[in-house]
Amino acid sequence: MRQIRSTITKTATVATALAAGLVLSIGGSANATQAAATIHGCPSGAVCLYPDDSWSGDKPTYKFYSYGAHKIYNQYGMKRIFNNQTGGAIARNCYDSAGKDCGGIQRAGTYADYNYTPYNSILLAP
């Protein structure tokens, strides 16, 4: 009888631990989904450029989704860039329109304000 009670207790403990792990796993997925949501008008997976050095009412001027160089036109003065890409993808401001002469790296999940007068493109890369 004592051995059966011990086995039942161990089984219940293992079941409780598995259930707790499942809850943590589900919670982790929910948090990952929230982190990849639209933020300040910038959809998940995009790099957004705003009309000035603020969030501008959550209305970006440009939204870029695909890897490669993206030309920007008539952008002068201070602008905000927000990298809302996923999977660690980066964005770079480039002086040429082909995305070959580029400045520093903007990591996913970050934003920064730059003087865009000298830039002609934004490069998205994995």
Side-chain angles (χ1 to χ4, degrees):
M1 184 71 149
R2 187 178 268 183
Q3 190 174 14
I4 293 172
R5 208 177 276 162
S6 176
T7 302
I8 291 171
T9 303
K10 286 180 184 175
T11 303
T13 303
V14 170
T16 302
L18 289 173
L22 181 60
V23 169
L24 288 175
S25 174
I26 292 170
S29 295
N31 290 338
T33 301
Q34 288 175 342
T38 297
I39 300 171
H40 291 293
C42 189
S44 173
V47 171
C48 296
L49 184 65
Y50 294 82
D52 55 33
D53 57 351
S54 74
W55 296 114
S56 299
D58 296 345
K59 295 181 181 170
T61 304
Y62 287 98
K63 297 175 188 175
F64 305 110
Y65 295 93
S66 59
Y67 292 149
H70 300 274
K71 294 180 183 179
I72 53 175
Y73 300 95
N74 300 317
Q75 298 299 308
Y76 304 102
M78 295 300 290
K79 310 284 180 198
R80 176 162 292 173
I81 184 173
F82 175 46
N83 184 353
N84 199 21
Q85 295 182 95
T86 58
I90 62 166
R92 300 179 75 183
N93 293 313
C94 304
Y95 298 101
D96 66 344
S97 59
K100 298 201 185 285
D101 182 15
C102 303
I105 294 173
Q106 182 80 34
R107 301 214 177 275
T110 65
Y111 73 93
D113 300 329
Y114 296 97
N115 178 357
Y116 270 82
T117 303
Y119 297 121
N120 291 305
S121 66
I122 295 175
L123 177 69
L124 279 59

